[in-house]
Amino acid sequence: VHHGYTLTSKIRFEDVLECIGGYVDTYPDTYPIVLSIENHCSIPYQHVMASKLECVLGDKLYIPIVTNGVIDHLPSPLELKGKIVIKGKRITNVTSLSIKDESDEEDSDEDVNQEKKIKHKIVPELSRLTLLHGKKFHNFEESILQEHSHMHSISENKSHKILKSDKMIKLWRQYNVSHMTRTYPKGTRINSDNYNPLFAWALGCQMVALNMQSHDVANVLNDGRFRMNGGCGYVRKPDWLLNQHANNFSGDAMNVKIRILGGCCLPKPKGRKAGEVIDPFVTVTLHDVKVSGDGNNDDNLASLGQDITVETTHKTSCVNDNGFCPAWNETKGKEFTVLNPDIAIFHFNVKDADMVSSADNIADAAVPVAALKKGFRNIQLHDKKSNQRRGPFDFATLLIEIVF
């Protein structure tokens, strides 16, 4: 297993399966783990893959029930608890034992300097283990009529082209009610940075892939989103993204006022134990999704391409030489207008002011608007590099007031 056109090393397929299988053995009540396999293997090695999947994973591997070449029922996450699900290519033509792999730039993460690849057929042994069948995207009118187990992998670039059309936006949301979509960063992000995941969540996309090796804002937002629901890795979509006949993109906008009052046990940059006493300040950024001003669009979602997301930022003053218990005691705070409360997320970022260079990052927290509670609240801060609260981050918090 490896990623082409990168400096990443290769690891054994069997080792990957043993690691994943061991996790499910330790946490048998975990919601399903989906293995998205981009398969470039020859026929003999596909036989090996199928054999390893069954031998290593055993009854933890979900094998779909196929009737006349069709998967009638797409199981819910609850039905798949403790199971490992395969996403890849499946034989869909019952009159043939194999099909051509349809890998293309819309179903491949390796879309930089792509060379013409040899397309191998899919062997029946691997096909029968695959629940989610990746299909090349042409148009949503055609996609909506496909089997529910068929899904698309759509690149960041393709996504923004789709977002330029009101009709396509509505159809994509409608498609995601009954099918699954995976989005992923464009291949030209050679620094492994990320796109803002909010637009994909706002369209009901279930798998919003990010470059997890980057310690950027997108990963902080992703971490905040999936701390909901007990951190189980699955968050239920709002009703208007689950209802095929819903006309409104979201509920009413709301105003949220936030006052930053103080902090406690703030670590030094990068969790260092030694160094100067920090001069902390806080930025609060609302990450939201725009809606149209006239409300006449079918989904009230502005067709703004990459500008579909919007940010509003508030910055506190700096407290000199106090990382233990800095007090800002804001009197007015900042009132934010939240356009889409179901999708919007607040990002709290604590930094250390520096007169010579740019401010150093100290700690972060992301809280979905849907998870906010009124009153005086402690915000637990995390290490941006690992999204963990441990070591110097064990007791790092912000005290804030939330009014809405």
Side-chain angles (χ1 to χ4, degrees), residues 320-340:
N320 292 324
D321 296 329
N322 191 344
F324 181 66
C325 55
W328 289 277
N329 290 324
E330 290 187 315
T331 55
K332 295 183 178 180
K334 169 69 175 179
E335 186 169 75
F336 297 85
T337 299
V338 182
L339 303 175
N340 194 316

Side-chain angles (χ1 to χ4, degrees), residues 3-171:
H3 195 300
Y5 309 109
T6 68
L7 298 177
T8 56
S9 59
K10 299 179 181 180
I11 55 177
R12 295 171 67 241
F13 182 64
E14 185 174 2
D15 290 342
V16 175
L17 298 180
E18 288 178 350
C19 179
I20 296 170
Y23 178 87
V24 177
D25 287 335
T26 304
Y27 304 100
D29 291 330
T30 187
Y31 280 96
I33 297 174
V34 181
L35 303 187
S36 180
I37 298 179
E38 186 176 322
N39 187 0
H40 299 288
C41 290
S42 63
I43 297 298
Y45 279 108
Q46 288 187 42
H47 287 293
V48 174
M49 287 176 63
S51 175
K52 294 295 184 183
L53 282 165
E54 292 197 79
C55 291
V56 176
L57 300 180
D59 59 4
K60 295 185 288 291
L61 177 64
Y62 178 78
I63 301 178
I65 300 173
V66 181
T67 305
N68 297 324
V70 176
I71 296 177
D72 296 323
H73 173 61
L74 193 60
S76 69
L78 187 61
E79 294 175 87
L80 291 172
K81 263 192 168 184
K83 294 293 185 180
I84 298 167
V85 172
I86 303 299
K87 170 196 169 291
K89 297 294 181 180
R90 197 175 67 242
I91 297 172
T92 57
N93 183 356
V94 296
T95 63
S96 173
L97 291 179
S98 58
I99 61 171
K100 290 287 186 180
D101 189 334
E102 292 180 324
S103 290
D104 57 24
E105 68 274 12
E106 270 71 67
D107 197 32
S108 172
D109 292 345
E110 301 174 10
D111 54 1
V112 180
N113 299 323
Q114 287 255 10
E115 298 176 2
K116 188 174 181 180
K117 295 186 175 70
I118 298 175
K119 293 185 178 181
H120 299 289
K121 295 181 179 181
I122 305 299
V123 300
E125 293 84 353
L126 189 56
S127 173
R128 80 176 189 89
L129 305 179
T130 304
L131 172 63
L132 300 171
H133 174 60
K135 289 280 290 184
K136 182 177 180 180
F137 171 74
H138 297 289
N139 60 76
F140 285 118
E141 291 91 344
E142 174 187 315
S143 299
I144 289 172
L145 301 177
Q146 295 172 353
E147 294 178 39
H148 294 328
S149 59
H150 289 194
M151 65 174 290
H152 295 313
S153 288
I154 298 180
S155 69
E156 176 187 354
N157 285 337
K158 186 70 172 180
S159 298
H160 290 309
K161 291 179 182 178
I162 294 173
L163 291 175
K164 293 179 180 178
S165 164
D166 287 335
K167 179 182 178 182
M168 293 287 278
I169 289 171
K170 179 180 179 180
L171 287 172

Side-chain angles (χ1 to χ4, degrees), residues 248-260:
N248 295 324
F249 175 75
S250 178
D252 296 331
M254 63 183 291
N255 292 326
V256 178
K257 182 178 179 180
I258 293 181
R259 286 200 304 137
I260 306 296

Side-chain angles (χ1 to χ4, degrees), residues 238-284:
D239 289 340
W240 53 270
L241 285 174
L242 294 171
N243 185 353
Q244 190 87 328
H245 304 290
N247 292 319
N248 295 324
F249 175 75
S250 178
D252 296 331
M254 63 183 291
N255 292 326
V256 178
K257 182 178 179 180
I258 293 181
R259 286 200 304 137
I260 306 296
L261 302 176
C264 180
C265 301
L266 302 181
K268 300 182 188 301
K270 299 181 180 180
R272 290 193 293 261
K273 295 183 179 180
E276 296 181 351
V277 179
I278 63 172
D279 306 317
F281 67 92
V282 182
T283 60
V284 183

